[in-house]
Amino acid sequence: MKKISLILGILLTVSCSSTKFVDSWRNQKIKTFTPKKLLVIGMTDNLTAQNIFEEDLKKAFVLRNINAVESTTVLDENFTKTEKSEEEINQMIKEISAEGFDAVIITAVKGVKKLNYPPRYYTIGYRWTRFGHYYLNFQDVYYTPQYYESYKVYNIETSIYYINKEDDKSLVWVGSLELVDPKTIKSTVKKYVDKIIKQLERESLIKTIN
């Protein structure tokens, strides 16, 4: 039964959506997120993906009257090429604070896992009306070594911080999402940004627009 449940979970995830919201934490001391100037950071070595992600997320915040700016236009490209010490990072925070930034939203891949699923899957609500049809479609599992195809699930975390408040009010929100076997940058970024924004709206941290 556990094996069946696992397979069903995988099939439903893959067939329904490539982006799944997992969990979030919100600082209850902060009622609404109203930064004066928000820095959008996408931590990736893929510059194209970073540009697309930061631009899309910035636009979503701007639509909600939040002044947001991409990190690619603020942080020196050399800053992200090498590992930085805590002192260097604190210096960077001082510098962006001097430029008027009082908050940061940062997104990073926390982990990647490789899973398998049968190459044929079906939409939610599909009913097998006859045993023969079911057996016909899944019998390959017995004699096809490549029956289970592999795919990757990326666990991605987005966090929001105020950079000029005391410790108990600096972390505003953390959200964890999973990207299932992303194919193209643009479509994946759009789905991810939509999930983040919708969750922030749902938790009343940012303004909802029609």
Side-chain angles (χ1 to χ4, degrees):
M1 183 60 71
K2 287 184 179 180
K3 183 177 181 181
I4 293 174
S5 299
L6 174 61
I7 293 174
L8 287 176
I10 293 172
L11 297 184
L12 295 182
T13 299
V14 174
S15 61
C16 292
S17 173
S18 61
T19 309
K20 183 178 69 173
F21 188 83
V22 178
D23 197 9
S24 69
W25 176 89
R26 173 186 172 177
N27 190 334
Q28 296 301 321
K29 294 182 179 180
I30 300 174
K31 301 304 178 185
T32 57
F33 181 56
T34 55
K36 294 178 181 178
K37 195 174 182 182
L38 174 66
L39 184 64
V40 179
I41 302 176
M43 295 188 71
T44 173
D45 59 358
N46 185 323
L47 186 58
T48 299
Q50 181 182 10
N51 284 329
I52 294 173
F53 173 76
E54 291 186 359
E55 176 69 18
D56 283 7
L57 190 53
K58 179 203 77 172
K59 288 179 178 178
F61 279 114
V62 169
L63 283 173
R64 290 155 180 84
N65 299 319
I66 294 176
N67 181 19
V69 181
E70 313 99 302
S71 75
T72 51
T73 66
V74 176
L75 300 181
D76 191 304
E77 185 179 343
N78 292 324
F79 186 85
T80 60
K81 286 186 175 180
T82 58
E83 186 176 359
K84 302 301 177 185
S85 66
E86 185 175 355
E87 290 76 16
E88 289 173 314
I89 294 171
N90 287 335
Q91 179 60 35
M92 179 266 287
I93 292 173
K94 288 181 181 179
E95 291 174 359
I96 63 174
S97 295
E99 294 181 28
F101 290 97
D102 63 340
V104 172
I105 180 167
I106 184 167
T107 298
V109 176
K110 302 290 288 185
V112 182
K113 56 186 176 182
K114 192 172 183 179
L115 300 176
N116 297 309
Y117 63 89
R120 289 184 291 246
Y121 49 85
Y122 304 89
T123 58
I124 292 177
Y126 188 92
R127 304 286 183 184
W128 291 106
T129 56
R130 295 179 60 186
F131 163 73
H133 289 166
Y134 187 98
Y135 190 93
L136 175 68
N137 279 276
F138 288 97
Q139 62 181 317
D140 291 0
V141 70
Y142 288 124
Y143 53 81
T144 305
Q146 292 80 29
Y147 179 77
Y148 286 99
E149 298 176 351
S150 63
Y151 68 102
K152 291 181 179 180
V153 177
Y154 294 80
N155 179 259
I156 303 181
E157 185 175 274
T158 294
S159 303
I160 300 176
Y161 291 91
Y162 279 118
I163 58 176
N164 57 1
K165 292 184 180 292
E166 59 271 27
D167 288 343
D168 64 344
K169 288 188 179 179
S170 60
L171 179 57
V172 178
W173 182 86
V174 180
S176 178
L177 293 91
E178 287 187 345
L179 297 182
V180 180
D181 204 19
K183 300 299 183 185
T184 64
I185 293 175
K186 287 187 177 180
S187 62
T188 301
V189 165
K190 184 181 185 307
K191 289 178 181 179
Y192 188 84
V193 169
D194 286 346
K195 290 283 186 181
I196 294 173
I197 294 298
K198 280 181 170 51
Q199 188 63 28
L200 292 174
E201 290 177 340
R202 190 175 293 115
E203 298 187 35
S204 301
L205 276 170
I206 62 174
K207 177 182 178 182
T208 301
I209 61 174
N210 297 324

